[in-house]
Each structure stands twice: as C-alpha cells, then as structure tokens.
Amino acid sequence: MTNASPISLGADPEHHVSADEFKAVFRGHPGGVALITADAGNGPVALTATSVASVNVDPPLLMFSVTTVSSATSVIVKSDTVVVHLLDVDDIPLAQRGATKGIDRFGDASLWQKLPTGETAFTGARAWVRCRVINQMDARGSTVIAAEALQVSINRQVGEGSTPLAYVNREWHRLDETSRIDAGMTLPPSA
C-alpha cells in the first residue's frame, strides 16, 4: 500500500477534462488490437484500432470508433462494408502497417486479397470478420460505427498457436499463460 496522492483529473465536474488527462486515465486500460479495412470504390484503406468491441451475438454485432485525424476515416465512414481483422502477436507487422502514416498499406500484394464480395482482407491475420455497417454516430471528432458480422475467418485459435495481442500505455503486450490470473469466479459477499 502506498501513500501516494491521487492525480487530480478534471477537478471541476462541470467542465471537460483535458485531452492529456483523458489520455492518462486510459493509458492503463488495455485494448485488443485490430486492423480495419474498407473500400468505398476508390481503392482500399486500412487503419489500426484498439476500439473494437463485441456488442451482441444474436444478431452478431460489433462496434469500433475512428478518428477524423486518420486518413482512412473518410473512406471507412462512406463504406457499406468493412473487414475487421482481430490480431495476435504474429500480426504485429500488420498492426504497424495500419498505424504507420505515409506508407502504402497495400504495397505488398502477397499479404491481402479481394474477397469475392469486393472487400479487402489481410488473409493471414489471426481472424477477420466481414461486416455490414448498420449505424454510425458522430462523436465530436470521431465516428462510432456499429456493424453486423456477415462472414468470419479464423486462421489461428487462441491457445492453439495464437497468443492474443494487447496495446497498453503505448506498447504492445502479449497475453499468455504467464499473464493469466486465476482469481476464481466467486463474487464478494453482498452487504
């Protein structure tokens, strides 16, 4: 137990916290790593995201957000379909490809293919989900996108040759048996 003073973030509850304060609070919140591709008709785009989340299983829905500072966002928000690639540690080069500015993310044609339905998929990724965009919400500089899963491809199962990839505090992390915590499934007693 430490006696460190907590960092005061957003001391005034009536005002927004600063961007730096908000980043600081989320630096300790890990996110799974995904690569999102889309093509609105003028060629494919890709970006790396840690905002992907499962929403529902029946119907199968997921969501993610994209920020307006990404060059890929304008194409993604115009697209009817997207491919969400769920990455593992073997896919770090794909994650870096989607996160690096100013490169041709599709320059190595051996890494991707056009699906019969027209979308672009990095077919060597651990898994990918082809989705139909069903809703978008403006979020002041970002867009939250809800999408329905239409097709799934799993190349590597977690625990069977695949180690999950997480991003926390601006670094890549692997989630394996050494990071597993057996906390049991018991709930604390009710008061």
Side-chain angles (χ1 to χ4, degrees):
M1 180 95 156
T2 66
N3 292 327
S5 298
I7 298 171
S8 175
L9 299 179
D12 183 351
E14 298 300 318
H15 295 90
H16 297 288
V17 297
S18 72
D20 287 340
E21 290 170 329
F22 198 67
K23 288 178 194 175
V25 79
F26 268 90
R27 280 211 175 97
H29 184 72
V33 183
L35 182 78
I36 299 168
T37 58
D39 188 343
N42 293 320
V45 298
L47 63 76
T48 299
T50 58
S51 61
V52 175
S54 168
V55 175
N56 196 18
V57 295
D58 191 14
L61 303 175
L62 59 80
M63 62 177 272
F64 60 91
S65 64
V66 291
T67 177
T68 54
V69 299
S70 171
S71 60
T73 295
S74 63
V75 174
I76 291 172
V77 299
K78 292 177 190 169
S79 298
D80 294 328
T81 58
V82 295
V83 178
V84 178
H85 304 76
L86 303 174
L87 307 182
D88 65 10
V89 296
D90 292 336
D91 296 322
I92 288 176
L94 281 181
Q96 292 169 323
R97 179 178 293 272
T100 303
K101 294 180 181 181
I103 66 165
D104 180 358
R105 294 178 175 132
F106 299 91
D108 184 349
S110 69
L111 297 176
W112 59 274
Q113 69 179 29
K114 283 280 191 188
L115 299 176
T117 49
E119 299 86 0
T120 303
F122 284 89
T123 53
R126 183 193 75 80
W128 54 264
V129 184
R130 185 174 67 86
C131 301
R132 177 176 52 90
V133 174
I134 61 168
N135 206 343
Q136 297 185 17
M137 180 186 82
D138 176 51
R140 296 184 182 174
S142 292
T143 302
V144 178
I145 297 173
E148 181 176 12
L150 302 173
Q151 179 182 0
V152 171
S153 176
I154 301 173
N155 290 313
R156 295 182 298 279
Q157 288 283 0
V158 172
E160 298 174 12
S162 175
T163 302
L165 176 63
Y167 193 72
V168 62
N169 198 20
R170 302 178 59 86
E171 296 178 325
W172 308 110
H173 292 265
R174 69 178 61 243
L175 299 177
D176 58 21
E177 283 302 311
T178 62
S179 63
R180 183 176 172 273
I181 299 170
D182 186 4
M185 295 301 295
T186 60
L187 299 173
S190 299

